[in-house]
Amino acid sequence: ELTVIITISSGINAEYGELEVCCRSCTLTMAKLQLIAISCLLFLVRSDPTVFFREDFADQDGWTSRWVQSEHSGKEFGKLAISAGEFFHDEEKDAGLKTMENARFYGVSSELSTPVESTEGKTLVVQFSVKHEQKIDCGGGYLKLFPSSLDQKDLHGDAPYNIMFGPDICGPSARRVHVIFNYRGKNLLLKKEIRCKDDELTHLYTLIVRADNTYEVRIDNKKEQSGKLEEDWDFLEPKEIADPDATQPEDWDDNPFLDDPEDSKPEDWEQPETIPDPDAKMPEDWDEDMDGEWEPPVIDNPDFKGEWRPKQIDNPNYQGEWEPAMIPNPNYFEDEQLYLQKDIKYVGIDIWQVKAGSIFDNILITDDEDFARNLAKETFEVSAAGEKEKKDAKDEEERKKREEERKAREAAEAAAEAEDEEEDDLDDDESAFAEDAEVESSTDDAEAKAEVKDEL
């Protein structure tokens, strides 16, 4: 091991040439020491991320002092409360902001502890967790980042925003992760499809926008999608467009086939479309004086071939489909800073839910993706594992309960069926006894009649 202690002093004289530090016969030149110092400084800078916003709702109802409820007219906003839900790892640590009322808008926002003035040359990371414990079938679960122009008490769906990110569910097919950027006043949607999670567990969503104009979307701390901003959003106009003044030349041949000049119509081609039914017969009661001349009904002619057309052959002069020439797009401009975000001051939940019950937690906005990833390992991954264990135990308990109920129901049905069979057997016995009694009575009557006859 080599331990080097560097003392930085403003009084170092460059005339000394080299500063040598000897340890176990190893000599480091001033240049090498400078590289080490720079590396140390870079490490220190990188290990100190900027956290623009962090919210874990750890102080329970204290969130009401940081988040502002919208009072926008014409919207019926639902109530929010702190809850960890039905199953969790640590009830206190896993508590988040839960939507409480069905068929409501939700509009709350909080000011960033450190507003984002510019992300020039930096990475932007937006990360949060959401749990749809209510088996959501229609509703949003995303966040929005807003500029300083936002009136928090007037937050609504049309309020301008910088970024919208997170899951959105509407029916069984529309279950996607939105990544929408506002660029020059237009909201641009991601052209790729990212399917969101739709179970009842907590899931972590992470958006990373890098200064090299690339992005990455992670779910549960695992990469789901990535690429280049310019390719996956319509930020820029195309570099070239079709010449609007171009016209197709009159002699341009765009017919791939033509009539065979050597083909001719067969002599027997012409046939009527319908013919009299050869099997039809004049009714016996037909009176030509009264009914007129009888004519058989017509039927489709099986020999009818339709309009004759010559067969087609390849056109030797075919030039292909004409396309106008491409010219430079006068509206195109390059933008090497598509990633750049300026003036982000608020983060908000601006959603509609048919069925409430979603829980938002662990909201983080930072400039360091490693910090976000490590924080997710320390918090989300631990909680998610414990939560799943509790959920699995609850599911197993419900499964056993359903199984017991099924067995009890089947036993009751079997007992009822046995009782019905026993009653049927009893009815049969009683019926047989009644028949015997009737037979016996008939015999007694015959004997009595015989005795009366003898006496007479």
Side-chain angles (χ1 to χ4, degrees):
E1 294 182 356
L2 175 63
T3 303
V4 180
I5 301 175
I6 303 174
T7 302
I8 300 176
S9 172
S10 60
I12 294 178
N13 191 332
E15 292 180 357
Y16 285 107
E18 290 185 343
L19 171 64
E20 295 184 348
V21 180
C22 297
C23 184
R24 294 184 184 180
S25 302
C26 294
T27 301
L28 298 176
T29 64
M30 177 63 78
K32 293 180 180 179
L33 290 175
Q34 288 175 341
L35 289 174
I36 293 175
I38 291 172
S39 299
C40 292
L41 289 173
L42 289 174
F43 174 78
L44 290 174
V45 170
R46 184 161 182 80
S47 64
D48 187 20
T50 300
V51 177
F52 303 107
F53 184 84
R54 184 175 178 182
E55 175 66 90
D56 57 11
F57 303 99
D59 58 352
Q60 299 295 309
D61 291 336
W63 72 276
T64 57
S65 65
R66 299 184 298 275
W67 292 76
V68 177
Q69 173 64 55
S70 175
E71 300 174 1
H72 181 72
S73 61
K75 301 285 187 182
E76 190 172 2
F77 290 102
K79 294 180 181 179
L80 294 156
I82 297 299
S83 173
E86 294 184 19
F87 39 87
F88 41 78
H89 173 61
D90 184 308
E91 185 172 9
E92 183 175 346
K93 291 182 179 180
D94 295 345
L97 198 59
K98 181 177 181 179
T99 58
M100 302 297 292
E101 296 180 276
N102 294 338
R104 292 290 186 273
F105 291 96
Y106 290 89
V108 292
S109 62
S110 181
E111 184 174 348
L112 272 59
S113 55
T114 303
V116 179
E117 296 180 358
S118 173
T119 61
E120 185 172 5
K122 300 178 181 179
T123 296
L124 178 66
V125 182
V126 182
Q127 181 169 279
F128 70 100
S129 67
V130 63
K131 172 165 64 171
H132 297 308
E133 200 173 62
Q134 73 277 38
K135 297 181 180 179
I136 189 170
D137 55 2
C138 186
Y142 45 80
L143 298 181
K144 290 182 179 180
L145 304 186
F146 295 95
S148 58
S149 60
L150 174 70
D151 179 354
Q152 289 183 271
K153 289 194 174 183
D154 193 41
L155 172 62
H156 56 90
D158 294 327
Y161 59 85
N162 300 64
I163 297 175
M164 173 175 148
F165 170 63
D168 190 19
I169 294 175
C170 189
S173 59
R175 297 169 181 257
R176 65 180 303 175
V177 178
H178 281 302
V179 185
I180 303 176
F181 294 105
N182 184 281
Y183 182 74
R184 296 179 176 265
K186 294 183 179 180
N187 292 332
L188 307 179
L189 278 68
L190 174 65
K191 293 187 287 186
K192 292 179 178 178
E193 186 76 19
I194 306 176
R195 187 169 178 86
C196 65
K197 303 296 183 180
D198 56 5
D199 55 30
E200 301 168 59
L201 298 171
T202 298
H203 294 285
L204 187 75
Y205 292 87
T206 307
L207 170 64
I208 304 169
V209 184
R210 303 187 181 97
D212 62 356
N213 287 319
T214 63
Y215 75 96
E216 183 176 323
V217 173
R218 303 175 69 85
I219 300 179
D220 296 344
N221 223 10
K222 298 176 182 178
K223 183 169 73 173
E224 288 290 328
Q225 191 58 268
S226 63
K228 296 181 179 180
L229 297 175
E230 185 174 358
E231 294 177 356
D232 293 347
W233 284 265
D234 291 326
F235 282 98
L236 305 177
E237 295 274 350
K239 292 182 179 181
E240 292 184 325
I241 60 171
D243 185 354
D245 298 325
T247 58
Q248 180 174 328
E250 293 182 0
D251 60 348
W252 187 274
D253 194 341
D254 57 2
N255 293 317
F257 305 102
L258 51 77
D259 295 342
D260 185 354
E262 298 180 1
D263 191 18
S264 59
K265 183 169 61 174
E267 294 180 357
D268 61 347
W269 185 273
E270 294 292 347
Q271 296 289 338
E273 187 173 353
T274 60
I275 59 173
D277 185 355
D279 297 327
K281 295 181 180 179
M282 184 175 68
E284 294 180 359
D285 59 349
W286 186 273
D287 188 339
E288 291 191 350
D289 293 334
M290 297 292 294
D291 301 326
E293 184 180 357
W294 179 81
E295 293 182 359
V298 296
I299 61 172
D300 292 337
N301 184 359
D303 296 327
F304 177 68
K305 301 178 182 179
E307 182 183 357
W308 180 82
R309 293 179 181 177
K311 67 180 181 181
Q312 300 288 290
I313 61 173
D314 291 335
N315 182 1
N317 299 319
Y318 175 62
Q319 295 176 269
E321 185 177 351
W322 180 83
E323 294 180 356
M326 303 298 289
I327 62 172
N329 184 355
N331 297 321
Y332 173 78
F333 61 89
E334 291 186 357
D335 187 347
E336 296 180 354
Q337 294 183 319
L338 296 176
Y339 74 92
L340 182 62
Q341 292 291 327
K342 294 183 177 181
D343 185 26
I344 300 176
K345 191 175 181 179
Y346 304 100
V347 58
I349 299 172
D350 176 31
I351 59 175
W352 159 267
Q353 288 194 339
V354 174
K355 187 186 294 184
S358 299
I359 301 175
F360 294 83
D361 198 9
N362 296 313
I363 303 173
L364 174 68
I365 303 174
T366 181
D367 64 353
D368 191 322
E369 56 185 284
D370 290 333
F371 173 75
R373 190 175 295 114
N374 291 331
L375 183 63
K377 291 180 180 179
E378 297 170 3
T379 57
F380 164 75
E381 292 187 7
V382 174
S383 295
E387 178 189 70
K388 188 176 187 306
E389 184 178 335
K390 295 285 183 65
K391 177 67 165 56
D392 291 343
K394 180 174 178 289
D395 291 345
E396 179 62 19
E397 182 180 344
E398 291 180 351
R399 187 195 65 78
K400 289 181 178 179
K401 183 179 179 181
R402 289 194 301 270
E403 182 67 15
E404 290 174 359
E405 291 175 348
R406 182 187 64 80
K407 290 180 178 179
R409 185 170 58 254
E410 290 177 353
E413 291 174 354
E417 185 176 349
E419 185 177 350
D420 290 342
E421 291 178 356
E422 184 177 349
E423 290 179 355
D424 291 342
D425 293 341
L426 182 60
D427 291 341
D428 292 342
D429 292 341
E430 292 178 351
S431 176
F433 177 78
E435 291 175 357
D436 292 343
E438 185 177 351
V439 171
E440 183 178 351
S441 175
S442 300
T443 304
D444 292 342
D445 290 344
E447 291 177 353
K449 290 178 180 179
E451 291 177 0
V452 172
K453 184 176 182 182
D454 293 338
E455 291 179 357
L456 293 175

